[in-house]
Amino acid sequence: MNTPPSPSGAEHTDRSSIRLGALVPLTRPGWVEAGRHLLAGLDLAVREVNDAGGIDGRPLELVVRDTAADPERAAAAVDELAHLGVAAVVGEYHSVVARAAAARADALGVPFLCSSAVLDALTEEPTEWVARLAPAQSHGWRIYADFVLRAGRRRIAVATQPSVYWASGTRILRDHLAPRGGTVLELDATLTPEALCDALVDHGATALLLLVGHPEPAVPIVRAVRRDRRLAEILVGAPAGQPEFAEWAAALGEDGAGIPFLRYLPERLGPLGERVGKKLRERLGEAPSFVAFEGWDTVNVLAAVLRSHGTDRAAVAESWPRVAVEGTRGPIRFSRTPGISVWQWTWTPVQVVDRDPAEPDRFRILHAG
């Protein structure tokens, strides 16, 4: 497995360093832009910890592995990182990949702090080894479903692909919308964009939610819907957050604006979030996404754990319920949440936002939960 140079500045093999394994999608078919933002946040936090003297004088070293959205590759990476002696594993954006990593970390007794994946069932059984910063899918997507209902849309179509993540999202939407007068129609994303548009018209859909990958097939679907005069009034939505990143706007321009999606930021960042956001913008050369903040918060939490509980893996895992850390988006504490198998931050701020049609680089907050 190819390993990029450690971006944390700790390329040496100094045995005094404390290693953290980082799982990040850096190549296709992984969502590379999300991986770049996640890694920027992880790396910035590691550098700041080291600039402040490290952990009791020992530097953190980030050992990065590219998952490329491949669950088997992620599981193998956890094996390798465990063998390398990492104190913990962090990161990952794709839910199905994070689930494979979490299962392997649980089996090996390696602490895993998941930064960005939201799938409720991150592990099959409850585990003490895994904690998560991102909100569970059921929490965020119910907030999104409430937004859709408040927008007056009750005949909801979802364009979806085969995946545990998309199937989970469809189920959450259907279970939440049905008692409130909403219906959910599943459309196979392998339909041609034109055939999908015909199906939307035939079923009288008032909203289309994109439960599909980006850029394919999301981009051609959006283009087709935007150009179909019969669908001029339909709400196009993307609860999984595809429009968050600049490549969405670059690919779709005005067509990509006005598409509500979920992101995990407060309405206003506090002083810590503002400071970190400024540094992330300098590193990325663009506005940082919430995923970059998730990366920074991940290392910030682990640094606090390592300072107070040491580097023993069992001690790190046992510390999850005692975490009390100020993050970029609010105070972070982990708890046991019904239906969630891992230690969970309940909850990061949740917003429904879109790109302003008049200014696609500007985000509008439409709903918060």
Side-chain angles (χ1 to χ4, degrees):
M1 186 179 299
N2 293 330
T3 306
S6 170
S8 62
E11 289 85 356
H12 55 78
T13 56
D14 184 351
R15 293 188 179 184
S16 71
S17 65
I18 300 170
R19 290 180 161 186
L20 297 180
L23 304 178
V24 189
L26 296 174
T27 55
R28 297 288 185 191
W31 198 339
V32 175
E33 192 170 10
R36 187 170 68 89
H37 279 237
L38 177 56
L39 185 56
L42 295 168
D43 180 51
L44 173 62
V46 166
R47 287 183 180 272
E48 291 188 349
V49 169
N50 289 342
D51 289 346
I55 308 297
D56 296 329
R58 299 173 65 188
L60 286 181
E61 179 183 354
L62 202 61
V63 185
V64 180
R65 292 295 181 269
D66 173 19
T67 63
D70 183 337
E72 292 184 4
R73 186 164 173 169
V78 174
D79 279 339
E80 182 193 4
L81 292 166
H83 180 73
L84 291 173
V86 299
V89 174
V90 300
E92 194 45 47
Y93 178 80
H94 297 284
S95 281
V96 176
V97 179
R99 188 172 69 153
R104 198 65 193 133
D106 179 50
L108 294 174
V110 178
F112 175 34
L113 180 50
C114 181
S115 305
S116 301
V118 300
L119 192 67
D120 281 41
L122 205 56
T123 55
E124 292 295 331
E125 300 292 336
T127 175
E128 301 297 320
W129 293 98
V130 183
R132 172 167 56 190
L133 288 175
Q137 187 180 20
S138 58
H139 177 71
W141 286 44
R142 285 170 188 154
I143 291 170
Y144 191 91
D146 286 336
F147 161 77
V148 172
L149 290 173
R150 288 177 63 177
R153 313 301 174 121
R154 282 174 166 71
R155 295 179 65 83
I156 316 301
V158 296
T160 188
Q161 296 173 292
S163 161
V164 171
Y165 174 62
W166 300 127
S168 171
T170 301
R171 183 173 61 254
I172 291 164
L173 292 169
R174 180 174 284 118
D175 289 349
H176 193 76
L177 290 167
R180 295 163 178 82
T183 60
V184 175
L185 168 71
E186 290 186 58
L187 296 176
D188 191 333
T190 60
L191 290 170
T192 67
E194 294 74 22
L196 191 143
C197 289
D198 289 341
L200 293 172
V201 173
D202 291 343
H203 289 88
T206 56
L208 168 65
L209 305 186
L210 302 169
L211 275 57
V212 295
H214 170 75
E216 298 289 338
V219 168
I221 289 174
V222 171
R223 285 187 182 134
V225 172
R226 292 300 201 207
R227 284 157 175 70
D228 193 321
R229 293 182 180 180
R230 301 172 298 170
L231 300 171
E233 300 301 318
I234 199 168
L235 171 73
V236 181
Q242 296 94 325
E244 168 75 13
F245 297 99
E247 65 180 4
W248 174 271
L252 282 164
E254 293 180 358
D255 285 345
I259 296 179
F261 64 94
L262 285 168
R263 71 172 180 178
Y264 309 125
L265 288 174
E267 184 174 355
R268 288 183 178 83
L269 292 167
L272 176 60
E274 288 284 358
R275 179 186 70 77
V276 172
K278 182 178 179 181
K279 289 193 173 183
L280 287 169
R281 179 183 285 271
E282 291 171 355
R283 282 174 160 257
L284 291 163
E286 62 188 12
S289 69
F290 69 85
V291 178
F293 288 99
E294 287 175 331
W296 193 94
D297 284 339
T298 300
V299 172
N300 188 42
V301 166
L302 266 177
V305 167
L306 293 168
R307 289 189 187 104
S308 59
H309 297 279
T311 59
D312 177 75
R313 289 173 178 171
V316 171
E318 289 167 4
S319 74
W320 299 136
R322 293 186 288 278
V323 165
V325 174
E326 186 63 29
T328 58
R329 298 160 297 150
I332 298 173
R333 291 178 172 82
F334 298 114
S335 62
R336 285 298 191 187
T337 304
I340 309 300
S341 60
V342 302
W343 288 98
Q344 176 71 52
W345 177 19
T346 50
W347 300 98
T348 177
V350 176
Q351 299 174 347
V352 179
V353 304
D354 71 358
R355 290 179 174 271
D356 188 344
E359 190 181 342
D361 288 337
R362 188 176 79 86
F363 295 107
R364 304 183 298 182
I365 299 174
L366 308 174
H367 181 66

